[in-house]
Amino acid sequence: MFTNFFKKVKNFLWPEIYENNRINLFERSPFIKNFFYQRKNFAYLRTFGDIIFLILIILGLFGPQEKDRNIMLFLSWGVWWTSVVLSWFFLGRMWCALCPFPGLARLLQNLKLSFFKNPPKFLKDKGIHLATFLFFLIIYLESTTSLTSSPRYTSFFLISIVLMASFFGLLYREYAWCRYICPLGRITGVAATMALIEFRPDYRICKTCKEVLCKKGTPNIRPCPVYLGAVAVQNNLNCFICGHCLILCPHNSPAVYLRHPLKEIILNKGKGITCAYVIPFLIGSQLARFLMEKDFFHNWANTLAISPNILFTLLFFWFSMVIIVISKLAASFFRVIEDPILGKFNLTIAILIPFAFTGELIYRSKYFLENIGDFFPTLARQFRIEFFFKWGFTAPEKFIKLWSFFLLNLSLLGSLYLIFYFYYKDFEREIPFKRYLHFVGIVFALYLSYYVLIFISK
């Protein structure tokens, strides 16, 4: 009995990644399967999200413009942003299936008010660069402008994304914006490599399928909205886990699986331009943002006689470039950077992925916890509901720090786990452990950097 128990625990904590070591949630839970197959569920959730999204925009445009008198700021930057980041770890890109940004584009296409063109080649090739640039532009504007403290500017920001998504929906069929250009979708796709779930077909069944309806669609049902189809899904990068292909597949091939959260990182090993630049710049932006919250940051700016925004910009690029240079140096010390099947990879980038996305969750949840206590008083001030003033509170600073400390240590454990997994299992101890010590040093140096910037006094 105990032998089987410990075997299961060991198999969960130290699995054979390359085996089909996962749990089919459709087989284990009829509720989950029915939820995905009943397409009206997604329609209801999208409609609800679109209504809330419209209300937020209206509140931002026509409501009070003081930060403490308009709830849309907290709902947008506190609840919505934090929910998106939290979903990375549990739902993969499923948030994209419910996202309100392409709502108007969907309406235009349903009304046949679209040219329904196929996305051009340059969009497929260069979209990743533009999406990455736009994401960090959002981070930059959020940190250096009054965007997060202005309801009207926040509404304009949301409207601008809706208009861009609608423009692409007007030109191209399905979700061209979401697949190739959306900055939030791109970062969500990269972060989904750490998700606990994956949506995959049974490739043995797909090999015998001649219709490929999941990708082509039928006369009555559109094909996959992001041009994949279950047959082409190999990772979490682009699949929305929207379940659209379920009603197209006559063989019941696709399903949702519970998996080891680091599986995809181990398989990819930091391969690809998306990881190579998103991870360093995301970590760099976080270190700069945490530093910008400290009082001595502004003292530095005054001492150097430059604006805080310029200092933030310099630190942002400095931290990012340091991570890039260190990742390349560590890769050269490791020496093995290419595989005949996988191609070139960078283990440093793979090992830093837990820090990049957990660091973003720390930053977003910190904002959420610091401001949630003022939500009902803000609601009371905005709509003159005196009763809600009594519901105000302040989240204990010790709790916020404890939560941040917990998440930071999870990222440390994730990175160390990857190092030892690569050594013991992936490369089967063929490479001396002393080469891995460079990665251990980088991980602890980054951990201390986060710790100092998050927990030192202002």
Side-chain angles (χ1 to χ4, degrees), residues 419-439:
I419 293 173
F420 286 99
Y421 194 97
F422 286 137
Y423 172 65
Y424 280 103
K425 286 221 171 185
D426 217 48
F427 293 93
E428 298 178 340
R429 306 188 195 186
E430 294 179 358
I431 299 169
F433 186 73
K434 63 181 180 181
R435 295 193 196 176
Y436 290 86
L437 292 178
H438 301 99
F439 301 137

mmCIF file with all atom_site columns, all heavy atoms in Angstrom, residues 419-439:
data_model
loop_
_atom_site.group_PDB
_atom_site.id
_atom_site.type_symbol
_atom_site.label_atom_id
_atom_site.label_alt_id
_atom_site.label_comp_id
_atom_site.label_asym_id
_atom_site.label_entity_id
_atom_site.label_seq_id
_atom_site.pdbx_PDB_ins_code
_atom_site.Cartn_x
_atom_site.Cartn_y
_atom_site.Cartn_z
_atom_site.occupancy
_atom_site.B_iso_or_equiv
_atom_site.pdbx_formal_charge
_atom_site.auth_seq_id
_atom_site.auth_comp_id
_atom_site.auth_asym_id
_atom_site.auth_atom_id
_atom_site.pdbx_PDB_model_num
ATOM 1   N N   . ILE A 1 419 ? 16.774 22.694 -12.993 1.00 0.00 ? 419 ILE A N   1
ATOM 2   C CA  . ILE A 1 419 ? 18.214 22.426 -13.079 1.00 0.00 ? 419 ILE A CA  1
ATOM 3   C C   . ILE A 1 419 ? 18.501 20.960 -12.782 1.00 0.00 ? 419 ILE A C   1
ATOM 4   O O   . ILE A 1 419 ? 19.213 20.273 -13.541 1.00 0.00 ? 419 ILE A O   1
ATOM 5   C CB  . ILE A 1 419 ? 18.986 23.334 -12.096 1.00 0.00 ? 419 ILE A CB  1
ATOM 6   C CG1 . ILE A 1 419 ? 18.885 24.793 -12.543 1.00 0.00 ? 419 ILE A CG1 1
ATOM 7   C CG2 . ILE A 1 419 ? 20.458 22.900 -12.012 1.00 0.00 ? 419 ILE A CG2 1
ATOM 8   C CD1 . ILE A 1 419 ? 19.474 25.772 -11.547 1.00 0.00 ? 419 ILE A CD1 1
ATOM 9   N N   . PHE A 1 420 ? 17.953 20.463 -11.695 1.00 0.00 ? 420 PHE A N   1
ATOM 10  C CA  . PHE A 1 420 ? 18.233 19.084 -11.306 1.00 0.00 ? 420 PHE A CA  1
ATOM 11  C C   . PHE A 1 420 ? 17.555 18.084 -12.236 1.00 0.00 ? 420 PHE A C   1
ATOM 12  O O   . PHE A 1 420 ? 18.087 16.993 -12.463 1.00 0.00 ? 420 PHE A O   1
ATOM 13  C CB  . PHE A 1 420 ? 17.829 18.859 -9.849  1.00 0.00 ? 420 PHE A CB  1
ATOM 14  C CG  . PHE A 1 420 ? 18.778 19.486 -8.876  1.00 0.00 ? 420 PHE A CG  1
ATOM 15  C CD1 . PHE A 1 420 ? 18.493 20.717 -8.299  1.00 0.00 ? 420 PHE A CD1 1
ATOM 16  C CD2 . PHE A 1 420 ? 19.974 18.865 -8.561  1.00 0.00 ? 420 PHE A CD2 1
ATOM 17  C CE1 . PHE A 1 420 ? 19.370 21.294 -7.411  1.00 0.00 ? 420 PHE A CE1 1
ATOM 18  C CE2 . PHE A 1 420 ? 20.865 19.442 -7.678  1.00 0.00 ? 420 PHE A CE2 1
ATOM 19  C CZ  . PHE A 1 420 ? 20.569 20.665 -7.099  1.00 0.00 ? 420 PHE A CZ  1
ATOM 20  N N   . TYR A 1 421 ? 16.411 18.464 -12.782 1.00 0.00 ? 421 TYR A N   1
ATOM 21  C CA  . TYR A 1 421 ? 15.755 17.557 -13.731 1.00 0.00 ? 421 TYR A CA  1
ATOM 22  C C   . TYR A 1 421 ? 16.593 17.460 -15.004 1.00 0.00 ? 421 TYR A C   1
ATOM 23  O O   . TYR A 1 421 ? 16.781 16.355 -15.550 1.00 0.00 ? 421 TYR A O   1
ATOM 24  C CB  . TYR A 1 421 ? 14.343 18.031 -14.073 1.00 0.00 ? 421 TYR A CB  1
ATOM 25  C CG  . TYR A 1 421 ? 13.519 16.972 -14.777 1.00 0.00 ? 421 TYR A CG  1
ATOM 26  C CD1 . TYR A 1 421 ? 12.637 16.161 -14.063 1.00 0.00 ? 421 TYR A CD1 1
ATOM 27  C CD2 . TYR A 1 421 ? 13.649 16.744 -16.140 1.00 0.00 ? 421 TYR A CD2 1
ATOM 28  C CE1 . TYR A 1 421 ? 11.904 15.174 -14.684 1.00 0.00 ? 421 TYR A CE1 1
ATOM 29  C CE2 . TYR A 1 421 ? 12.928 15.755 -16.777 1.00 0.00 ? 421 TYR A CE2 1
ATOM 30  C CZ  . TYR A 1 421 ? 12.051 14.976 -16.050 1.00 0.00 ? 421 TYR A CZ  1
ATOM 31  O OH  . TYR A 1 421 ? 11.338 13.986 -16.679 1.00 0.00 ? 421 TYR A OH  1
ATOM 32  N N   . PHE A 1 422 ? 17.082 18.582 -15.488 1.00 0.00 ? 422 PHE A N   1
ATOM 33  C CA  . PHE A 1 422 ? 17.934 18.548 -16.683 1.00 0.00 ? 422 PHE A CA  1
ATOM 34  C C   . PHE A 1 422 ? 19.176 17.680 -16.431 1.00 0.00 ? 422 PHE A C   1
ATOM 35  O O   . PHE A 1 422 ? 19.601 16.923 -17.303 1.00 0.00 ? 422 PHE A O   1
ATOM 36  C CB  . PHE A 1 422 ? 18.363 19.964 -17.083 1.00 0.00 ? 422 PHE A CB  1
ATOM 37  C CG  . PHE A 1 422 ? 17.266 20.778 -17.714 1.00 0.00 ? 422 PHE A CG  1
ATOM 38  C CD1 . PHE A 1 422 ? 17.074 22.107 -17.375 1.00 0.00 ? 422 PHE A CD1 1
ATOM 39  C CD2 . PHE A 1 422 ? 16.422 20.216 -18.660 1.00 0.00 ? 422 PHE A CD2 1
ATOM 40  C CE1 . PHE A 1 422 ? 16.074 22.858 -17.956 1.00 0.00 ? 422 PHE A CE1 1
ATOM 41  C CE2 . PHE A 1 422 ? 15.413 20.959 -19.260 1.00 0.00 ? 422 PHE A CE2 1
ATOM 42  C CZ  . PHE A 1 422 ? 15.241 22.291 -18.892 1.00 0.00 ? 422 PHE A CZ  1
ATOM 43  N N   . TYR A 1 423 ? 19.737 17.799 -15.225 1.00 0.00 ? 423 TYR A N   1
ATOM 44  C CA  . TYR A 1 423 ? 20.951 17.042 -14.920 1.00 0.00 ? 423 TYR A CA  1
ATOM 45  C C   . TYR A 1 423 ? 20.666 15.545 -14.794 1.00 0.00 ? 423 TYR A C   1
ATOM 46  O O   . TYR A 1 423 ? 21.334 14.720 -15.428 1.00 0.00 ? 423 TYR A O   1
ATOM 47  C CB  . TYR A 1 423 ? 21.577 17.562 -13.625 1.00 0.00 ? 423 TYR A CB  1
ATOM 48  C CG  . TYR A 1 423 ? 22.721 16.720 -13.131 1.00 0.00 ? 423 TYR A CG  1
ATOM 49  C CD1 . TYR A 1 423 ? 23.905 16.619 -13.870 1.00 0.00 ? 423 TYR A CD1 1
ATOM 50  C CD2 . TYR A 1 423 ? 22.628 16.002 -11.943 1.00 0.00 ? 423 TYR A CD2 1
ATOM 51  C CE1 . TYR A 1 423 ? 24.962 15.830 -13.428 1.00 0.00 ? 423 TYR A CE1 1
ATOM 52  C CE2 . TYR A 1 423 ? 23.677 15.215 -11.488 1.00 0.00 ? 423 TYR A CE2 1
ATOM 53  C CZ  . TYR A 1 423 ? 24.841 15.135 -12.242 1.00 0.00 ? 423 TYR A CZ  1
ATOM 54  O OH  . TYR A 1 423 ? 25.876 14.351 -11.806 1.00 0.00 ? 423 TYR A OH  1
ATOM 55  N N   . TYR A 1 424 ? 19.693 15.178 -13.986 1.00 0.00 ? 424 TYR A N   1
ATOM 56  C CA  . TYR A 1 424 ? 19.455 13.766 -13.674 1.00 0.00 ? 424 TYR A CA  1
ATOM 57  C C   . TYR A 1 424 ? 18.715 13.021 -14.780 1.00 0.00 ? 424 TYR A C   1
ATOM 58  O O   . TYR A 1 424 ? 19.034 11.876 -15.072 1.00 0.00 ? 424 TYR A O   1
ATOM 59  C CB  . TYR A 1 424 ? 18.668 13.634 -12.366 1.00 0.00 ? 424 TYR A CB  1
ATOM 60  C CG  . TYR A 1 424 ? 19.512 13.775 -11.141 1.00 0.00 ? 424 TYR A CG  1
ATOM 61  C CD1 . TYR A 1 424 ? 19.496 14.958 -10.406 1.00 0.00 ? 424 TYR A CD1 1
ATOM 62  C CD2 . TYR A 1 424 ? 20.335 12.742 -10.714 1.00 0.00 ? 424 TYR A CD2 1
ATOM 63  C CE1 . TYR A 1 424 ? 20.285 15.094 -9.273  1.00 0.00 ? 424 TYR A CE1 1
ATOM 64  C CE2 . TYR A 1 424 ? 21.128 12.870 -9.579  1.00 0.00 ? 424 TYR A CE2 1
ATOM 65  C CZ  . TYR A 1 424 ? 21.094 14.049 -8.865  1.00 0.00 ? 424 TYR A CZ  1
ATOM 66  O OH  . TYR A 1 424 ? 21.871 14.183 -7.752  1.00 0.00 ? 424 TYR A OH  1
ATOM 67  N N   . LYS A 1 425 ? 17.724 13.668 -15.386 1.00 0.00 ? 425 LYS A N   1
ATOM 68  C CA  . LYS A 1 425 ? 16.855 12.935 -16.307 1.00 0.00 ? 425 LYS A CA  1
ATOM 69  C C   . LYS A 1 425 ? 17.045 13.323 -17.768 1.00 0.00 ? 425 LYS A C   1
ATOM 70  O O   . LYS A 1 425 ? 17.211 12.474 -18.629 1.00 0.00 ? 425 LYS A O   1
ATOM 71  C CB  . LYS A 1 425 ? 15.394 13.134 -15.901 1.00 0.00 ? 425 LYS A CB  1
ATOM 72  C CG  . LYS A 1 425 ? 14.998 12.356 -14.659 1.00 0.00 ? 425 LYS A CG  1
ATOM 73  C CD  . LYS A 1 425 ? 13.628 11.744 -14.804 1.00 0.00 ? 425 LYS A CD  1
ATOM 74  C CE  . LYS A 1 425 ? 13.337 10.794 -13.661 1.00 0.00 ? 425 LYS A CE  1
ATOM 75  N NZ  . LYS A 1 425 ? 12.067 10.086 -13.843 1.00 0.00 ? 425 LYS A NZ  1
ATOM 76  N N   . ASP A 1 426 ? 17.019 14.631 -18.026 1.00 0.00 ? 426 ASP A N   1
ATOM 77  C CA  . ASP A 1 426 ? 17.025 15.050 -19.423 1.00 0.00 ? 426 ASP A CA  1
ATOM 78  C C   . ASP A 1 426 ? 18.355 14.733 -20.109 1.00 0.00 ? 426 ASP A C   1
ATOM 79  O O   . ASP A 1 426 ? 18.385 14.240 -21.229 1.00 0.00 ? 426 ASP A O   1
ATOM 80  C CB  . ASP A 1 426 ? 16.713 16.548 -19.505 1.00 0.00 ? 426 ASP A CB  1
ATOM 81  C CG  . ASP A 1 426 ? 15.854 16.874 -20.713 1.00 0.00 ? 426 ASP A CG  1
ATOM 82  O OD1 . ASP A 1 426 ? 14.845 16.174 -20.915 1.00 0.00 ? 426 ASP A OD1 1
ATOM 83  O OD2 . ASP A 1 426 ? 16.192 17.808 -21.446 1.00 0.00 ? 426 ASP A OD2 1
ATOM 84  N N   . PHE A 1 427 ? 19.433 15.061 -19.436 1.00 0.00 ? 427 PHE A N   1
ATOM 85  C CA  . PHE A 1 427 ? 20.765 14.762 -19.997 1.00 0.00 ? 427 PHE A CA  1
ATOM 86  C C   . PHE A 1 427 ? 21.409 13.553 -19.329 1.00 0.00 ? 427 PHE A C   1
ATOM 87  O O   . PHE A 1 427 ? 22.564 13.228 -19.610 1.00 0.00 ? 427 PHE A O   1
ATOM 88  C CB  . PHE A 1 427 ? 21.676 15.991 -19.864 1.00 0.00 ? 427 PHE A CB  1
ATOM 89  C CG  . PHE A 1 427 ? 21.240 17.154 -20.716 1.00 0.00 ? 427 PHE A CG  1
ATOM 90  C CD1 . PHE A 1 427 ? 20.405 18.136 -20.204 1.00 0.00 ? 427 PHE A CD1 1
ATOM 91  C CD2 . PHE A 1 427 ? 21.634 17.248 -22.040 1.00 0.00 ? 427 PHE A CD2 1
ATOM 92  C CE1 . PHE A 1 427 ? 19.989 19.199 -20.982 1.00 0.00 ? 427 PHE A CE1 1
ATOM 93  C CE2 . PHE A 1 427 ? 21.228 18.314 -22.828 1.00 0.00 ? 427 PHE A CE2 1
ATOM 94  C CZ  . PHE A 1 427 ? 20.400 19.291 -22.300 1.00 0.00 ? 427 PHE A CZ  1
ATOM 95  N N   . GLU A 1 428 ? 20.660 12.915 -18.418 1.00 0.00 ? 428 GLU A N   1
ATOM 96  C CA  . GLU A 1 428 ? 21.052 11.641 -17.808 1.00 0.00 ? 428 GLU A CA  1
ATOM 97  C C   . GLU A 1 428 ? 22.476 11.648 -17.258 1.00 0.00 ? 428 GLU A C   1
ATOM 98  O O   . GLU A 1 428 ? 23.250 10.720 -17.466 1.00 0.00 ? 428 GLU A O   1
ATOM 99  C CB  . GLU A 1 428 ? 20.869 10.506 -18.824 1.00 0.00 ? 428 GLU A CB  1
ATOM 100 C CG  . GLU A 1 428 ? 19.419 10.346 -19.264 1.00 0.00 ? 428 GLU A CG  1
ATOM 101 C CD  . GLU A 1 428 ? 19.251 9.267  -20.305 1.00 0.00 ? 428 GLU A CD  1
ATOM 102 O OE1 . GLU A 1 428 ? 20.257 8.907  -20.956 1.00 0.00 ? 428 GLU A OE1 1
ATOM 103 O OE2 . GLU A 1 428 ? 18.126 8.778  -20.454 1.00 0.00 ? 428 GLU A OE2 1
ATOM 104 N N   . ARG A 1 429 ? 22.842 12.720 -16.588 1.00 0.00 ? 429 ARG A N   1
ATOM 105 C CA  . ARG A 1 429 ? 24.134 12.872 -15.918 1.00 0.00 ? 429 ARG A CA  1
ATOM 106 C C   . ARG A 1 429 ? 25.322 12.762 -16.874 1.00 0.00 ? 429 ARG A C   1
ATOM 107 O O   . ARG A 1 429 ? 26.459 12.554 -16.430 1.00 0.00 ? 429 ARG A O   1
ATOM 108 C CB  . ARG A 1 429 ? 24.292 11.832 -14.800 1.00 0.00 ? 429 ARG A CB  1
ATOM 109 C CG  . ARG A 1 429 ? 23.162 11.832 -13.797 1.00 0.00 ? 429 ARG A CG  1
ATOM 110 C CD  . ARG A 1 429 ? 23.474 10.923 -12.633 1.00 0.00 ? 429 ARG A CD  1
ATOM 111 N NE  . ARG A 1 429 ? 22.285 10.637 -11.848 1.00 0.00 ? 429 ARG A NE  1
ATOM 112 C CZ  . ARG A 1 429 ? 22.288 9.959  -10.721 1.00 0.00 ? 429 ARG A CZ  1
ATOM 113 N NH1 . ARG A 1 429 ? 23.423 9.486  -10.232 1.00 0.00 ? 429 ARG A NH1 1
ATOM 114 N NH2 . ARG A 1 429 ? 21.169 9.728  -10.061 1.00 0.00 ? 429 ARG A NH2 1
ATOM 115 N N   . GLU A 1 430 ? 25.080 12.892 -18.148 1.00 0.00 ? 430 GLU A N   1
ATOM 116 C CA  . GLU A 1 430 ? 26.168 12.806 -19.120 1.00 0.00 ? 430 GLU A CA  1
ATOM 117 C C   . GLU A 1 430 ? 27.042 14.059 -19.095 1.00 0.00 ? 430 GLU A C   1
ATOM 118 O O   . GLU A 1 430 ? 28.188 14.038 -19.545 1.00 0.00 ? 430 GLU A O   1
ATOM 119 C CB  . GLU A 1 430 ? 25.606 12.601 -20.531 1.00 0.00 ? 430 GLU A CB  1
ATOM 120 C CG  . GLU A 1 430 ? 24.908 11.247 -20.712 1.00 0.00 ? 430 GLU A CG  1
ATOM 121 C CD  . GLU A 1 430 ? 24.348 11.090 -22.112 1.00 0.00 ? 430 GLU A CD  1
ATOM 122 O OE1 . GLU A 1 430 ? 24.473 12.044 -22.899 1.00 0.00 ? 430 GLU A OE1 1
ATOM 123 O OE2 . GLU A 1 430 ? 23.794 10.023 -22.414 1.00 0.00 ? 430 GLU A OE2 1
ATOM 124 N N   . ILE A 1 431 ? 26.476 15.168 -18.588 1.00 0.00 ? 431 ILE A N   1
ATOM 125 C CA  . ILE A 1 431 ? 27.205 16.430 -18.515 1.00 0.00 ? 431 ILE A CA  1
ATOM 126 C C   . ILE A 1 431 ? 27.561 16.681 -17.056 1.00 0.00 ? 431 ILE A C   1
ATOM 127 O O   . ILE A 1 431 ? 26.699 16.572 -16.177 1.00 0.00 ? 431 ILE A O   1
ATOM 128 C CB  . ILE A 1 431 ? 26.343 17.579 -19.076 1.00 0.00 ? 431 ILE A CB  1
ATOM 129 C CG1 . ILE A 1 431 ? 26.030 17.285 -20.545 1.00 0.00 ? 431 ILE A CG1 1
ATOM 130 C CG2 . ILE A 1 431 ? 27.055 18.915 -18.940 1.00 0.00 ? 431 ILE A CG2 1
ATOM 131 C CD1 . ILE A 1 431 ? 24.987 18.191 -21.137 1.00 0.00 ? 431 ILE A CD1 1
ATOM 132 N N   . PRO A 1 432 ? 28.820 16.987 -16.735 1.00 0.00 ? 432 PRO A N   1
ATOM 133 C CA  . PRO A 1 432 ? 29.243 17.181 -15.340 1.00 0.00 ? 432 PRO A CA  1
ATOM 134 C C   . PRO A 1 432 ? 28.389 18.232 -14.631 1.00 0.00 ? 432 PRO A C   1
ATOM 135 O O   . PRO A 1 432 ? 28.038 19.260 -15.214 1.00 0.00 ? 432 PRO A O   1
ATOM 136 C CB  . PRO A 1 432 ? 30.707 17.640 -15.480 1.00 0.00 ? 432 PRO A CB  1
ATOM 137 C CG  . PRO A 1 432 ? 31.137 17.139 -16.812 1.00 0.00 ? 432 PRO A CG  1
ATOM 138 C CD  . PRO A 1 432 ? 29.920 17.170 -17.691 1.00 0.00 ? 432 PRO A CD  1
ATOM 139 N N   . PHE A 1 433 ? 28.104 17.964 -13.370 1.00 0.00 ? 433 PHE A N   1
ATOM 140 C CA  . PHE A 1 433 ? 27.224 18.866 -12.636 1.00 0.00 ? 433 PHE A CA  1
ATOM 141 C C   . PHE A 1 433 ? 27.851 20.251 -12.455 1.00 0.00 ? 433 PHE A C   1
ATOM 142 O O   . PHE A 1 433 ? 27.132 21.241 -12.289 1.00 0.00 ? 433 PHE A O   1
ATOM 143 C CB  . PHE A 1 433 ? 26.879 18.277 -11.263 1.00 0.00 ? 433 PHE A CB  1
ATOM 144 C CG  . PHE A 1 433 ? 25.866 19.083 -10.521 1.00 0.00 ? 433 PHE A CG  1
ATOM 145 C CD1 . PHE A 1 433 ? 24.528 19.079 -10.914 1.00 0.00 ? 433 PHE A CD1 1
ATOM 146 C CD2 . PHE A 1 433 ? 26.245 19.878 -9.450  1.00 0.00 ? 433 PHE A CD2 1
ATOM 147 C CE1 . PHE A 1 433 ? 23.588 19.844 -10.250 1.00 0.00 ? 433 PHE A CE1 1
ATOM 148 C CE2 . PHE A 1 433 ? 25.305 20.646 -8.775  1.00 0.00 ? 433 PHE A CE2 1
ATOM 149 C CZ  . PHE A 1 433 ? 23.972 20.625 -9.173  1.00 0.00 ? 433 PHE A CZ  1
ATOM 150 N N   . LYS A 1 434 ? 29.180 20.336 -12.494 1.00 0.00 ? 434 LYS A N   1
ATOM 151 C CA  . LYS A 1 434 ? 29.815 21.640 -12.292 1.00 0.00 ? 434 LYS A CA  1
ATOM 152 C C   . LYS A 1 434 ? 29.392 22.647 -13.364 1.00 0.00 ? 434 LYS A C   1
ATOM 153 O O   . LYS A 1 434 ? 29.406 23.852 -13.120 1.00 0.00 ? 434 LYS A O   1
ATOM 154 C CB  . LYS A 1 434 ? 31.342 21.482 -12.285 1.00 0.00 ? 434 LYS A CB  1
ATOM 155 C CG  . LYS A 1 434 ? 31.939 20.968 -13.588 1.00 0.00 ? 434 LYS A CG  1
ATOM 156 C CD  . LYS A 1 434 ? 33.450 20.838 -13.461 1.00 0.00 ? 434 LYS A CD  1
ATOM 157 C CE  . LYS A 1 434 ? 34.065 20.327 -14.771 1.00 0.00 ? 434 LYS A CE  1
ATOM 158 N NZ  . LYS A 1 434 ? 35.537 20.174 -14.649 1.00 0.00 ? 434 LYS A NZ  1
ATOM 159 N N   . ARG A 1 435 ? 28.986 22.150 -14.540 1.00 0.00 ? 435 ARG A N   1
ATOM 160 C CA  . ARG A 1 435 ? 28.488 23.074 -15.565 1.00 0.00 ? 435 ARG A CA  1
ATOM 161 C C   . ARG A 1 435 ? 27.126 23.641 -15.165 1.00 0.00 ? 435 ARG A C   1
ATOM 162 O O   . ARG A 1 435 ? 26.771 24.752 -15.562 1.00 0.00 ? 435 ARG A O   1
ATOM 163 C CB  . ARG A 1 435 ? 28.373 22.361 -16.914 1.00 0.00 ? 435 ARG A CB  1
ATOM 164 C CG  . ARG A 1 435 ? 29.698 21.902 -17.481 1.00 0.00 ? 435 ARG A CG  1
ATOM 165 C CD  . ARG A 1 435 ? 29.537 21.516 -18.931 1.00 0.00 ? 435 ARG A CD  1
ATOM 166 N NE  . ARG A 1 435 ? 30.657 20.723 -19.409 1.00 0.00 ? 435 ARG A NE  1
ATOM 167 C CZ  . ARG A 1 435 ? 30.734 20.189 -20.617 1.00 0.00 ? 435 ARG A CZ  1
ATOM 168 N NH1 . ARG A 1 435 ? 29.727 20.351 -21.467 1.00 0.00 ? 435 ARG A NH1 1
ATOM 169 N NH2 . ARG A 1 435 ? 31.776 19.475 -20.985 1.00 0.00 ? 435 ARG A NH2 1
ATOM 170 N N   . TYR A 1 436 ? 26.370 22.886 -14.404 1.00 0.00 ? 436 TYR A N   1
ATOM 171 C CA  . TYR A 1 436 ? 25.061 23.349 -13.963 1.00 0.00 ? 436 TYR A CA  1
ATOM 172 C C   . TYR A 1 436 ? 25.173 24.367 -12.825 1.00 0.00 ? 436 TYR A C   1
ATOM 173 O O   . TYR A 1 436 ? 24.203 25.062 -12.531 1.00 0.00 ? 436 TYR A O   1
ATOM 174 C CB  . TYR A 1 436 ? 24.207 22.168 -13.485 1.00 0.00 ? 436 TYR A CB  1
ATOM 175 C CG  . TYR A 1 436 ? 23.766 21.237 -14.585 1.00 0.00 ? 436 TYR A CG  1
ATOM 176 C CD1 . TYR A 1 436 ? 24.579 20.188 -15.004 1.00 0.00 ? 436 TYR A CD1 1
ATOM 177 C CD2 . TYR A 1 436 ? 22.534 21.385 -15.203 1.00 0.00 ? 436 TYR A CD2 1
ATOM 178 C CE1 . TYR A 1 436 ? 24.188 19.314 -15.992 1.00 0.00 ? 436 TYR A CE1 1
ATOM 179 C CE2 . TYR A 1 436 ? 22.119 20.515 -16.201 1.00 0.00 ? 436 TYR A CE2 1
ATOM 180 C CZ  . TYR A 1 436 ? 22.957 19.486 -16.583 1.00 0.00 ? 436 TYR A CZ  1
ATOM 181 O OH  . TYR A 1 436 ? 22.555 18.622 -17.579 1.00 0.00 ? 436 TYR A OH  1
ATOM 182 N N   . LEU A 1 437 ? 26.345 24.425 -12.188 1.00 0.00 ? 437 LEU A N   1
ATOM 183 C CA  . LEU A 1 437 ? 26.510 25.352 -11.071 1.00 0.00 ? 437 LEU A CA  1
ATOM 184 C C   . LEU A 1 437 ? 26.364 26.801 -11.517 1.00 0.00 ? 437 LEU A C   1
ATOM 185 O O   . LEU A 1 437 ? 25.991 27.669 -10.712 1.00 0.00 ? 437 LEU A O   1
ATOM 186 C CB  . LEU A 1 437 ? 27.880 25.132 -10.414 1.00 0.00 ? 437 LEU A CB  1
ATOM 187 C CG  . LEU A 1 437 ? 28.052 23.795 -9.672  1.00 0.00 ? 437 LEU A CG  1
ATOM 188 C CD1 . LEU A 1 437 ? 29.464 23.684 -9.114  1.00 0.00 ? 437 LEU A CD1 1
ATOM 189 C CD2 . LEU A 1 437 ? 27.018 23.655 -8.560  1.00 0.00 ? 437 LEU A CD2 1
ATOM 190 N N   . HIS A 1 438 ? 26.664 27.081 -12.789 1.00 0.00 ? 438 HIS A N   1
ATOM 191 C CA  . HIS A 1 438 ? 26.441 28.439 -13.293 1.00 0.00 ? 438 HIS A CA  1
ATOM 192 C C   . HIS A 1 438 ? 24.960 28.797 -13.189 1.00 0.00 ? 438 HIS A C   1
ATOM 193 O O   . HIS A 1 438 ? 24.598 29.911 -12.806 1.00 0.00 ? 438 HIS A O   1
ATOM 194 C CB  . HIS A 1 438 ? 26.906 28.555 -14.750 1.00 0.00 ? 438 HIS A CB  1
ATOM 195 C CG  . HIS A 1 438 ? 28.343 28.230 -14.960 1.00 0.00 ? 438 HIS A CG  1
ATOM 196 N ND1 . HIS A 1 438 ? 28.774 26.999 -15.413 1.00 0.00 ? 438 HIS A ND1 1
ATOM 197 C CD2 . HIS A 1 438 ? 29.466 28.966 -14.767 1.00 0.00 ? 438 HIS A CD2 1
ATOM 198 C CE1 . HIS A 1 438 ? 30.086 26.998 -15.513 1.00 0.00 ? 438 HIS A CE1 1
ATOM 199 N NE2 . HIS A 1 438 ? 30.541 28.180 -15.126 1.00 0.00 ? 438 HIS A NE2 1
ATOM 200 N N   . PHE A 1 439 ? 24.112 27.835 -13.527 1.00 0.00 ? 439 PHE A N   1
ATOM 201 C CA  . PHE A 1 439 ? 22.673 28.081 -13.457 1.00 0.00 ? 439 PHE A CA  1
ATOM 202 C C   . PHE A 1 439 ? 22.222 28.266 -12.008 1.00 0.00 ? 439 PHE A C   1
ATOM 203 O O   . PHE A 1 439 ? 21.393 29.122 -11.715 1.00 0.00 ? 439 PHE A O   1
ATOM 204 C CB  . PHE A 1 439 ? 21.905 26.916 -14.086 1.00 0.00 ? 439 PHE A CB  1
ATOM 205 C CG  . PHE A 1 439 ? 22.235 26.663 -15.524 1.00 0.00 ? 439 PHE A CG  1
ATOM 206 C CD1 . PHE A 1 439 ? 22.421 25.376 -15.995 1.00 0.00 ? 439 PHE A CD1 1
ATOM 207 C CD2 . PHE A 1 439 ? 22.370 27.715 -16.419 1.00 0.00 ? 439 PHE A CD2 1
ATOM 208 C CE1 . PHE A 1 439 ? 22.720 25.133 -17.321 1.00 0.00 ? 439 PHE A CE1 1
ATOM 209 C CE2 . PHE A 1 439 ? 22.673 27.492 -17.745 1.00 0.00 ? 439 PHE A CE2 1
ATOM 210 C CZ  . PHE A 1 439 ? 22.850 26.202 -18.205 1.00 0.00 ? 439 PHE A CZ  1
#
